[in-house]
Amino acid sequence: MRQSILSNNESPLIACEHVSCTYGNSPVLHDVYLNINRREFVGIVGPSGSGKTTLLKAIIGSQPVAHGSITVQPELTIGYVPQIETVDWYFPVTVEEVIVMTRSKTQWWPRITTKERTAVREVLEKLGIADVAHRHIRELSGGQQQRVFLARAMFCQPDILVLDEPTAGVDVRTRHEILHLLADLHADGLTILLTTHDLNGLAAHLPRLVCFNKTILADGSPREVLTSKVLEATYGAPMEVLEHGGMPIVIDHGRVAMRGEGK
Amino acid sequence: MILALDIFEPYGFQFFRNGLVVATIAGALCGLLGVFVILRGMSYIGHGLSHAVFGGAAASAVMKVNYFLGAGIWGIVSGLLIARVARRRVIGADAAIGVVTTASFALGLALMNRYGQASKSIEAVLFGSVLGVKVVDIYAVSLVALLGLAVVVLGYRKLLFSTFDRDVAQVSNVRVSLVEAVLLAMISLTILVTMRVIGTLLISALLVIPAASARMTTNSFSRMLWISPIIGAVTCFVGMNLSYHLDTSASATIILLDAFVFVVVYAIAGTRNRAKMASLGHL
Ligand SMILES: Nc1ncnc2c1ncn2[C@@H]1O[C@H](COP(=O)(O)OP(=O)(O)OP(=O)(O)O)[C@@H](O)[C@H]1O
Ligand SMILES: [Mg+2]
């Protein structure tokens, strides 16, 4: 197991120990040990069906854990951005309504207050989509959809952002923008945990990368983790790793492993 | 002049006035809760619950217990039971609900066969009967309607959040299971106070059709919460009157009218808005 990068004496924000999860009788996660420390920026990569979403859901507490334990620091506010395919885009809500929803614990009055309206505007402006506030959620592009749910997560001023495939279904430019946005948020002091299928476009740029397939197969910097040996163990297919300008580049022969790209 | 007299003719009957009030309030109530039923894909649960309440109604008739007490407890218990079964996302939850509710329905039928006054009362329970409506029904349906309104207004945000995104609502400390239990209890109560007019078999239609029509007219959740009860109330009111003049069953007339409204809205809405129906694909 990898030691935390920050040698602080603070306990991790999230500590998964010996975690396994099952759907019915089929095991989905197996013996997962993962610590997320404050101010870290961690990416999880792994093939489709490897249990990435399940792991995130276990961390946010919506998926029961069969064995082991997940310790979350008390009073920790988690902002969760779900995998975009799992959202019901036909649901009758506007962007503003989606974002204000997160205030439902402290506010009960149905109408959106002027104060909330201003706060929504601020968040949307920060993410560069101020003009979509009154649109129905179906009337958005893939990149805007991603940002709306990022805005919702940001709205409750979280300590940690948990994002499930934040660059799925967007073009190269939008992917860049989202990556920069997340980097800025990280620089502002936010802890970030995300999953991705995009090895070269996203994962290789992160400070810490976890290769995952039902359990953790490697955990470290992209240079340490992105090796053909680790990738073959993760994806079950041979992959070549080249180097370009000090960055690892994954070449995958034949199979398309990077679902998030150009979809 | 004669025509005008004709229109007001049924209003001379106490039973009709009572039935009209109950049906109109029930229509609004079903329209309101129906919004959650269709957006949560719970139409099957509504259908099942009405059958379960039927068992309770029959049992309380046989045991000479007050209808609201007997069928009410029965309905709420089966509602909570269904909530439990449905939460355990095991394959076959649908089947489990089917077993609970149809068994309850069959038990009701058997009890009425054995102890009831033959087929007339069965028909009244299955298809509803305006003649059976008493003043106490007006109180009951008004009370439940006020309660329903209070739940929707006070719990608006939590209801919306947990309907749209259960997982994230849970993470945001909304007590999703409590919200769902309250909603199911409200639907059980609604069925309970609506059943005598509309009947077991057609209640689920009243929960689904006005809300589905409302969905096609708007993309806004809050507006849907207005439009759907209005459609429900108006169709119930007009349907009751029509049924008197056409000498047809009140519940059948109401549901046919609802279906008619749906078809008209569907035709007017055009293809773009029809896409909204895609979210209701489970109906
Ligand atoms: N609700 C569910 N019931 C039963 N099995 C499920 C459920 N959700 C996921 N699974 C199964 O659990 C496994 C892991 O799913 P998960 O969604 O966590 O994978 P993932 O790594 O996020 O995949 P993707 O990259 O496609 O999003 C898969 O085999 C999937 O079929
Ligand atoms: Mg996933």
Side-chain angles (χ1 to χ4, degrees):
Chain A
M1 252 322 92
R2 185 194 139 82
Q3 300 301 305
S4 75
I5 336 179
L6 306 169
S7 54
N8 55 9
N9 39 22
E10 192 187 15
S11 56
L13 293 186
I14 294 166
C16 305
E17 275 179 64
H18 186 51
V19 169
S20 43
C21 290
T22 56
Y23 285 117
N25 285 326
S26 50
V28 180
L29 301 186
H30 170 69
D31 203 21
V32 176
Y33 285 85
L34 182 69
N35 280 358
I36 308 293
N37 299 300
R38 193 175 287 282
R39 305 208 57 164
E40 269 194 304
F41 193 166
V42 186
I44 301 176
V45 296
S48 260
S50 58
K52 301 182 296 296
T53 300
T54 308
L55 177 60
L56 295 191
K57 286 194 170 171
I59 286 174
I60 66 169
S62 76
Q63 164 70 38
V65 170
H67 291 288
S69 69
I70 297 181
T71 316
V72 174
Q73 271 200 1
E75 307 293 308
L76 188 77
T77 311
I78 301 177
Y80 181 62
V81 182
Q83 197 168 341
I84 228 73
E85 293 106 276
T86 65
V87 174
D88 177 6
W89 293 105
Y90 287 97
F91 197 94
V93 278
T94 63
V95 168
E96 191 175 59
E97 285 173 315
V98 167
I99 293 170
V100 167
M101 262 181 216
T102 45
R103 288 265 168 95
S104 47
K105 192 67 190 174
T106 48
Q107 270 278 349
W108 64 270
W109 183 242
R111 290 198 80 93
I112 297 172
T113 63
T114 327
K115 221 171 126 194
E116 285 172 326
R117 199 149 267 160
T118 322
V120 168
R121 228 192 144 66
E122 268 167 28
V123 176
L124 289 180
E125 255 159 24
K126 191 165 177 185
L127 301 190
I129 46 168
D131 49 331
V132 303
H134 297 289
R135 286 213 207 147
H136 179 243
I137 50 170
R138 240 196 102 58
E139 300 159 352
L140 302 169
S141 71
Q144 287 170 332
Q145 290 179 338
Q146 287 287 1
R147 274 183 263 201
V148 164
F149 279 82
L150 182 56
R152 179 180 73 170
M154 296 292 302
F155 194 61
C156 55
Q157 283 152 350
D159 305 296
I160 176 168
L161 269 183
V162 177
L163 309 100
D164 202 356
E165 296 189 32
T167 58
V170 303
D171 65 10
V172 182
R173 210 195 80 189
T174 313
R175 183 187 69 200
H176 246 88
E177 286 170 6
I178 291 176
L179 183 55
H180 278 287
L181 206 64
L182 293 176
D184 287 345
L185 293 172
H186 177 238
D188 288 345
L190 212 60
T191 311
I192 299 178
L193 173 64
L194 58 78
T195 68
T196 182
H197 281 280
D198 190 350
L199 293 175
N200 294 321
L202 181 52
H205 301 275
L206 302 179
R208 179 180 166 198
L209 205 54
V210 174
C211 284
F212 190 80
N213 194 344
K214 293 193 166 55
T215 190
I216 287 170
L217 298 167
D219 185 345
S221 71
R223 290 180 73 86
E224 294 168 315
V225 164
L226 293 178
T227 64
S228 42
K229 202 169 143 224
V230 169
L231 290 173
E232 187 164 347
T234 309
Y235 289 92
M239 289 190 197
E240 205 178 319
V241 181
L242 304 178
E243 213 180 278
H244 177 78
M247 294 259 292
I249 295 191
V250 180
I251 315 273
D252 118 74
H253 298 287
R255 280 215 320 184
V256 181
M258 282 148 277
R259 209 189 52 164
E261 220 169 42
K263 202 182 69 171
Chain B
M1 193 61 204
I2 291 171
L3 195 73
L5 274 181
D6 228 30
I7 286 177
F8 291 110
E9 186 194 309
Y11 291 86
F13 301 104
Q14 172 83 41
F15 80 87
F16 182 82
R17 292 199 300 268
N18 289 350
L20 188 67
V21 171
V22 171
T24 307
I25 298 175
L29 179 60
C30 286
L32 184 69
L33 294 177
V35 171
F36 298 99
V37 170
I38 69 160
L39 291 179
R40 289 172 161 258
M42 281 168 49
S43 57
Y44 186 76
I45 290 179
H47 186 80
L49 267 179
S50 61
H51 286 64
V53 171
F54 172 76
S60 50
V62 167
M63 294 188 293
K64 306 243 183 314
V65 183
N66 177 282
Y67 163 79
F68 290 113
L69 196 69
I73 292 173
W74 193 301
I76 286 177
V77 168
S78 22
L80 295 177
L81 216 70
I82 288 172
R84 268 193 82 92
V85 173
R87 230 195 349 263
R88 294 180 49 191
R89 305 169 203 160
V90 192
I91 300 152
D94 266 21
I97 294 167
V99 171
V100 172
T101 58
T102 46
S104 177
F105 184 69
L107 176 68
L109 268 184
L111 283 174
M112 293 190 89
N113 286 146
R114 186 76 184 78
Y115 302 103
Q117 326 139 296
S119 57
K120 194 149 169 79
S121 57
I122 292 186
E123 206 183 294
V125 180
L126 289 184
F127 302 106
S129 151
V130 188
L131 288 167
V133 175
K134 302 186 186 69
V135 179
V136 64
D137 288 288
I138 298 183
Y139 292 134
V141 78
S142 308
L143 199 73
V144 174
L146 283 177
L147 197 62
L149 195 65
V151 164
V152 170
V153 171
L154 294 176
Y156 177 87
R157 291 193 179 206
K158 295 187 183 91
L159 281 165
L160 173 58
F161 200 2
S162 55
T163 301
F164 177 61
D165 198 336
R166 193 183 193 279
D167 285 338
V168 180
Q170 201 168 20
V171 178
S172 310
N173 293 320
V174 174
R175 284 155 74 192
V176 178
S177 317
L178 181 68
V179 170
E180 281 164 3
V182 168
L183 206 53
L184 268 168
M186 279 315 303
I187 293 170
S188 303
L189 283 174
T190 300
I191 288 167
L192 180 72
V193 296
T194 309
M195 199 155 94
R196 286 222 265 228
V197 184
I198 303 296
T200 309
L201 293 182
L202 295 174
I203 284 182
S204 60
L206 203 54
L207 279 168
V208 169
I209 306 178
S213 305
R215 176 67 191 96
M216 281 192 301
T217 65
T218 179
N219 257 335
S220 153
F221 181 75
S222 53
R223 238 172 286 151
M224 216 178 140
L225 283 176
W226 283 109
I227 296 171
S228 176
I230 289 174
I231 294 179
V234 170
T235 50
C236 279
F237 182 85
V238 176
M240 281 292 287
N241 280 287
L242 271 183
S243 79
Y244 179 87
H245 296 288
L246 301 176
D247 198 20
T248 46
S249 137
S251 57
T253 316
I254 289 168
I255 302 305
L256 280 175
L257 206 59
D258 271 318
F260 176 72
V261 169
F262 179 85
V263 170
V264 170
V265 172
Y266 186 84
I268 294 174
T271 36
R272 199 178 88 90
N273 287 351
R274 242 172 254 165
K276 291 170 190 161
M277 287 306 288
S279 63
L280 313 176
H282 46 72
L283 290 184

